[in-house]
């Protein structure tokens, strides 16, 4: 893992734009947590057994490894020439999107990835996610009101950002909704990748463009589309690796999965064997079908490599070799380190 991550680390330390993007995003994260805190504390007269308070923010929450995606998103503001004050507003929105999406995923997937540390009685897994979502909405309203009051944006622009910050997520939400009760059939793999995964994941890799799209539509319009597609490709590549890792979960819970669709349309007997073998969502079922899993890994790495190469050539300061190493490091990020691949 350290070998693969060396390229990322070097670029965050020496690459001017990535280094600057990380530093600014860290400032944005810090401010979001500071603004969340007052909303996460119960009144002083609350009985001790029912007190709620914000939890300590681990230092790792600000590190580059935890913020690879957020830093890439923030870097596009530098590449587009977005003025610094608006970069910082958009950067705070990036972290709020992270709160919304992670908290929603926790609720949908019965997980507990901590994005807003919160001390609350009981196990409170579900309620902590609900409170985080509600607090994040209030912080967005606060940020937009202050930006309008200072003249950074117009009041109408603030209302537009508030509205579109939800509307841009609705197609992804609708896609997730189609899987809540389990899917009835597995569509062709190209439909999974080109339609379902573009809504499920690819769209989330483009939310950073919300502010520039609405407030600076003429700013670097041609370059913007290239950057959007580059991040979309990177996100789709990550999702393909997710599909390999989550083969057992997606099979047991009836969710869309590129590899399972490949098997459903080319080797239904192999899919039936997998279904019989699946016992737990954590099973490494992909090791049973390497002939289907490895091509998905290679395709995912290729998409990530292509997206990263475009970002590097657009001004982030790395080439094909670095893009390849950065893409391969995602095997470790997505818990697939050690998986054979070409």
């Amino acid at each position: 893992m350290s070998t693969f991550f060396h390229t990322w680390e070097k670029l965050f330390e020496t690459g001017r734009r990535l280094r600057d993007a990380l530093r600014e995003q860290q400032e944005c994260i810090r401010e979001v947590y500071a603004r969340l805190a007052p909303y996460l504390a119960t009144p002083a007269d609350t009985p001790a057994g029912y007190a709620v308070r914000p939890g300590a923010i681990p230092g790792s929450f600000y590190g580059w490894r935890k913020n690879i995606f957020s830093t890439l998103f923030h870097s596009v503001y530098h590449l587009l020439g977005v003025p610094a004050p608006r970069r910082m507003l958009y950067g705070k929105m990036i972290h709020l999107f992270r709160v919304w999406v992670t908290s929603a995923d926790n609720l949908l997937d019965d997980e507990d990835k901590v994005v807003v540390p919160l001390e609350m009685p009981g196990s409170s897994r579900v309620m902590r996610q609900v409170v985080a979502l509600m607090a994040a909405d209030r912080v967005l309203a606060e940020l937009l009101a202050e930006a309008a009051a200072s003249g950074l944006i117009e009041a109408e622009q603030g209302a537009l950002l508030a509205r579109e910050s939800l509307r841009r997520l609705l197609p992804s939400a609708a896609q997730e909704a189609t899987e809540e009760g389990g899917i009835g059939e597995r569509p062709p793999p190209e439909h999974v990748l080109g339609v379902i995964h573009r809504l499920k994941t690819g769209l989330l890799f483009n939310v950073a463009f919300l502010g520039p799209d609405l407030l600076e539509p003429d700013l670097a319009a041609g370059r913007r589309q290239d950057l959007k597609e580059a991040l979309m490709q990177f996100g789709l590549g990550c999702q393909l690796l997710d599909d390999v890792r989550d083969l057992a979960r997606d099979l047991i819970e009836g969710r869309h999965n590129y590899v399972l669709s490949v098997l459903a349309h080319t080797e239904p007997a192999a899919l039936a064997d997998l279904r019989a073998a699946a016992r737990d969502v954590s099973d490494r079922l992909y090791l049973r079908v390497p002939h289907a899993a490895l091509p998905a890994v290679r395709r995912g790495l290729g998409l990530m490599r292509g997206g990263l190469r475009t970002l590097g050539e657009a001004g982030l300061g790395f080439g094909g070799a670095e893009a390849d190493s950065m893409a391969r490091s995602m095997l470790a990020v997505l818990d697939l380190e050690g998986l054979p691949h070409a």
Side-chain angles (χ1 to χ4, degrees):
M1 180 166 67
S2 59
T3 301
F4 286 146
F5 273 130
H6 176 71
T7 304
W8 283 105
E9 186 172 25
K10 182 179 178 182
L11 286 167
F12 281 127
E13 289 177 352
T14 63
R16 180 177 61 83
R17 282 202 166 110
L18 271 180
R19 185 187 64 229
D20 291 347
L22 174 62
R23 178 181 54 77
E24 289 185 357
Q25 190 59 30
Q26 288 169 331
E27 290 180 31
C28 292
I29 294 169
R30 221 170 260 114
E31 182 170 343
V32 167
Y33 282 132
R35 287 177 177 268
L36 281 168
Y39 295 106
L40 301 176
T42 45
D45 59 352
T46 302
Y50 300 94
V52 176
R53 60 181 60 86
I57 310 299
S60 62
F61 276 31
Y62 301 103
W64 65 265
R65 291 196 186 196
K66 280 273 193 183
N67 293 288
I68 288 176
F69 296 163
S70 296
T71 303
L72 284 178
F73 299 165
H74 197 100
S75 72
V76 304
Y77 303 143
H78 288 265
L79 298 177
L80 292 174
V82 175
R86 283 193 173 177
R87 281 203 309 267
M88 301 307 285
L89 173 62
Y90 301 158
K92 291 161 200 166
M93 292 184 68
I94 285 175
H95 199 62
L96 290 172
F97 273 117
R98 188 170 179 175
V99 173
W100 293 321
V101 172
T102 304
S103 296
D105 281 347
N106 283 339
L107 291 170
L108 290 168
D109 299 340
D110 196 25
E111 294 179 343
D112 197 15
K113 297 174 183 173
V114 178
V115 66
V116 178
L118 181 63
E119 296 179 16
M120 183 176 279
S123 61
S124 59
R125 186 195 63 79
V126 171
M127 188 51 70
R128 277 188 286 114
Q129 312 309 323
V130 173
V131 171
L133 287 165
M134 292 192 294
D137 273 0
R138 283 155 175 79
V139 168
L140 175 65
E142 184 179 288
L143 286 169
L144 294 178
E146 288 184 13
S150 70
L152 179 61
I153 61 175
E154 301 293 333
E156 294 80 4
Q157 292 176 321
L160 183 61
L161 284 172
R163 182 171 66 248
E164 292 300 313
S165 65
L166 175 58
R167 292 184 70 245
R168 293 286 177 103
L169 292 175
L170 289 180
S172 183
Q175 189 286 314
E176 291 279 3
T178 66
E179 297 183 83
E180 279 194 48
I183 59 174
E185 60 182 28
R186 296 205 172 274
E190 291 308 310
H191 180 83
V192 173
L193 180 62
V195 178
I196 292 170
H197 283 354
R198 285 183 79 90
L199 295 175
K200 177 188 179 76
T201 300
L203 180 150
L204 302 179
F205 277 73
N206 275 180
V207 294
F209 293 92
L210 173 68
D213 281 351
L214 296 179
L215 273 57
E216 289 123 341
D218 298 323
L219 185 63
R223 167 175 277 203
R224 181 184 319 205
Q225 193 54 46
D226 292 340
L227 295 174
K228 279 184 177 180
E229 187 57 28
L231 284 173
M232 172 69 73
Q233 294 303 306
F234 182 72
L236 290 175
C238 288
Q239 183 58 54
L240 281 180
L241 295 193
D242 266 348
D243 280 3
V244 174
R245 179 196 62 192
D246 294 339
L247 209 60
R249 177 183 291 275
D250 292 343
L251 181 58
I252 291 171
E253 298 182 355
R255 302 184 186 194
H256 290 296
N257 183 293
Y258 176 85
V259 180
L260 293 176
S261 278
V262 168
L263 292 173
H265 287 268
T266 61
E267 295 184 75
L271 180 58
D273 289 343
L274 271 189
R275 191 174 291 111
R279 293 290 180 270
D280 186 86
V281 296
S282 63
D283 287 348
R284 301 175 73 191
L285 286 188
Y286 51 84
L287 297 178
R288 291 177 174 266
V289 286
H291 61 289
L294 291 179
V297 170
R298 296 185 189 108
R299 188 170 187 181
L301 290 174
L303 286 167
M304 286 190 286
R305 188 183 302 119
L308 287 168
R309 186 183 297 117
T310 297
L311 292 170
E313 292 171 352
L316 292 189
F318 51 82
E322 291 90 349
D324 181 66
S325 180
M326 293 159 76
R328 288 176 183 273
S329 74
M330 290 298 108
L331 291 169
V333 172
L334 299 172
D335 299 324
L336 286 170
E337 191 177 18
L339 181 73
H341 61 277

